[in-house]
Amino acid sequence: MRKFFSYSLLLLILIGFGYWLGSSTILEGTKIGDTISQVVDKLPSNQIVMVNEVPNSSEQEQSTSANSASTSANNPTDTYEIDVAVVENRVLELLNNLRVEVGVSPVTTNDQLRNAANIRAIETEESFSHTRPDGRATFTVLEESGVEYSYQLVGENLAMGTNYLAEKEMAEWLFKGLKESPGHYENMVNKDFEEVGIGVHYNGENLYIVQMFGTPL
């Protein structure tokens, strides 16, 4: 038993020492250093942020397709213990604070865009992409029943992270990731956008946020 304990302790010390070596620059450029770095890179992380944006687009640039029935997304079903309203309201607050800071008008909330953003938030669990799970273009969601938003200009930001904080703090953490990404930031401070819908979806592990920006006809 003592031998097993000693070996376990030694193994933990060696792993910790190896991780420190891989994170430092002492062995940088050496064969052993490269090997340790590859191992460190594969260690699991409990904090994941993925963000993506699509350039804003005018209605004329979008290809059209037949409307299809959509699932109502006013109240996502898989929210579990997450209060999605807290996340949504905090993201909206941070967004408009940012716009005021840079000297552009705040955006107002729009129920049609919110419905579209909620649909997209659920879809991003299946496919974290600006291409919808069925292969259609992002903004075909604006043609869905219950949305039907006519626009001059639209844009979409996506964010996803492993949930590990309270709702307000998770909203702030994901918003920070969006703000630090040039493409997302450009959408958030675009003076030509007048409205926004914030979609939130939680699947019990990951929290998905969608910002759907628009300027109506």
Side-chain angles (χ1 to χ4, degrees), residues 159-171:
M160 181 272 280
T162 301
N163 186 66
Y164 75 110
L165 297 169
E167 288 93 334
K168 185 177 178 181
E169 286 73 20
M170 277 301 298

Side-chain angles (χ1 to χ4, degrees), residues 133-149:
D134 63 6
R136 288 182 294 162
T138 302
F139 299 122
T140 58
V141 71
L142 300 175
E143 303 167 7
E144 299 279 2
S145 174
V147 179
E148 298 167 342
Y149 183 80

Side-chain angles (χ1 to χ4, degrees), residues 97-148:
N97 287 346
L98 174 61
R99 289 178 69 88
V100 170
E101 285 175 14
V102 299
V104 299
S105 298
V107 285
T108 58
T109 56
N110 176 279
D111 287 341
Q112 294 163 288
L113 288 176
R114 181 176 178 270
N115 289 347
N118 275 318
I119 292 171
R120 291 288 298 128
I122 293 170
E123 289 181 346
T124 54
E125 179 184 354
E126 181 177 348
S127 176
F128 194 78
S129 166
H130 292 296
T131 300
R132 302 180 68 185
D134 63 6
R136 288 182 294 162
T138 302
F139 299 122
T140 58
V141 71
L142 300 175
E143 303 167 7
E144 299 279 2
S145 174
V147 179
E148 298 167 342

Side-chain angles (χ1 to χ4, degrees), residues 47-54 91 120 124 127-130 156-162 170-185 187-188 207-211:
Q47 298 180 20
I48 305 168
V49 176
M50 296 175 62
V51 288
N52 204 357
E53 85 286 339
V54 66
V91 170
R120 291 288 298 128
T124 54
S127 176
F128 194 78
S129 166
H130 292 296
E156 179 184 70
N157 281 351
L158 308 179
M160 181 272 280
T162 301
M170 277 301 298
E172 292 168 352
W173 182 56
L174 287 171
F175 185 86
K176 183 174 182 289
L178 290 169
K179 185 178 177 181
E180 291 175 350
S181 169
H184 301 90
Y185 181 83
N187 271 345
M188 292 195 292
L207 184 63
Y208 300 83
I209 293 175
V210 174
Q211 297 173 325

Side-chain angles (χ1 to χ4, degrees), residues 49-100:
V49 176
M50 296 175 62
V51 288
N52 204 357
E53 85 286 339
V54 66
N56 55 62
S57 176
S58 67
E59 185 175 28
Q60 289 76 18
E61 292 171 346
Q62 294 301 308
S63 59
T64 59
S65 63
N67 289 343
S68 61
S70 65
T71 302
S72 174
N74 289 326
N75 295 300
T77 56
D78 295 330
T79 54
Y80 302 103
E81 74 276 13
I82 291 291
D83 188 339
V84 296
V86 173
V87 178
E88 178 186 341
N89 292 336
R90 185 54 177 158
V91 170
L92 178 63
E93 181 183 21
L94 292 168
L95 172 62
N96 277 332
N97 287 346
L98 174 61
R99 289 178 69 88
V100 170

